[in-house]
Amino acid sequence: MSADPLHRAGTPQRSTTSPPQGGPGASAIEVRRSARRRRTVSAYREGDRTVVLIPARMSEAEEKRWVNVMLDKLAAQESKQVLGDAELAERAKQLSEQYLDGRARPRSVRWVTNQNTRWGSCTPAEGSIRLSHRLQGMPEYVVDYVLLHELAHLLVPGHGPRFWRLLEAYPRTERAKGYLEGVVAAERLPHVPGARGE
């Protein structure tokens, strides 16, 4: 299984979209059939939908079975990536030791659901760090970058040269920033139903 949106075998021959299953938080499912795809089935998340790539010759019954299999695999994969608050605090401690000589020592680190316009925030006076729940399920290096960014704010409040020097040691800073910029740009794109895969 591949969850990589760049891993697309062939041009889709037929694309169908199903309404979300499992309630309002679930994503729509788009099935793309490809004549070039022989045996493999893959799936990935694309914004608010799940795309499942299957061989064109697959029957409707096989399609339905494989969609369910791939949804289960994606859900299992994503659930492994989500850290709880305790694991997030432990990760913050590790990142502080590795990149900030252990100088950033937050008193609390937790996920919050009320941050929809920023990825993270901190209150240096309280030593508290909050990460947006929207980061859950994103690649580990992206979560680490946001966590490290907030840890650096415990040491330097603004975004001046001194602050950015603290983040120079993290090798994936630019890649993580690019990923987050891509997410923001994708959220701003207009959604045109039926425009993809036609």
Side-chain angles (χ1 to χ4, degrees):
M1 177 191 75
S2 171
D4 182 358
L6 299 177
H7 180 72
R8 296 178 183 161
T11 306
Q13 182 186 47
R14 182 171 70 87
S15 179
T16 59
T17 303
S18 304
Q21 299 175 354
S27 65
I29 300 158
E30 181 176 340
V31 177
R32 295 180 187 169
R33 290 176 173 261
S34 170
R36 291 175 55 190
R37 187 174 283 266
R38 298 287 176 219
R39 288 189 294 259
T40 60
V41 176
S42 62
Y44 59 91
R45 305 286 190 204
E46 183 177 77
D48 63 348
R49 69 182 55 233
T50 300
V51 177
V52 181
L53 307 171
I54 64 172
R57 62 178 174 71
M58 213 175 251
S59 71
E60 294 295 323
E62 287 174 309
E63 174 184 318
K64 187 174 181 180
R65 183 178 73 81
W66 274 106
V67 165
N68 288 329
V69 166
M70 298 313 284
L71 288 174
D72 288 345
K73 283 189 175 185
L74 276 178
Q77 181 184 26
E78 290 167 352
S79 70
K80 288 178 189 171
Q81 295 174 352
V82 177
L83 302 174
D85 288 350
E87 292 90 357
L88 200 59
E90 181 58 32
R91 187 65 187 145
K93 182 180 175 186
Q94 292 169 358
L95 289 168
S96 177
E97 289 171 0
Q98 186 174 357
Y99 297 105
L100 303 172
D101 300 321
R103 292 179 295 140
R105 296 186 193 105
R107 290 189 196 105
S108 70
V109 182
R110 62 191 174 94
W111 295 107
V112 293
T113 57
N114 62 350
Q115 288 189 159
N116 294 316
T117 59
R118 54 173 71 178
W119 299 113
S121 63
C122 80
T123 307
E126 298 173 3
S128 63
I129 291 176
R130 296 160 304 280
L131 295 191
S132 171
H133 72 287
R134 296 183 306 139
L135 289 164
Q136 293 175 337
M138 288 190 189
E140 187 177 273
Y141 75 91
V142 176
V143 177
D144 280 356
Y145 164 73
V146 176
L147 198 47
L148 192 58
H149 185 107
E150 299 309 327
L151 285 165
H153 275 311
L154 293 178
L155 304 174
V156 179
H159 286 103
R162 198 168 138 239
F163 171 83
W164 291 110
R165 273 196 298 276
L166 290 174
L167 293 179
E168 284 175 356
Y170 185 62
R172 292 183 162 186
T173 291
E174 291 306 315
R175 184 176 176 193
K177 285 168 66 176
Y179 183 99
L180 293 170
E181 286 168 5
V183 169
V184 170
E187 288 173 350
R188 291 181 181 151
L189 291 174
H191 176 68
V192 182
R196 298 187 68 76
E198 291 182 353

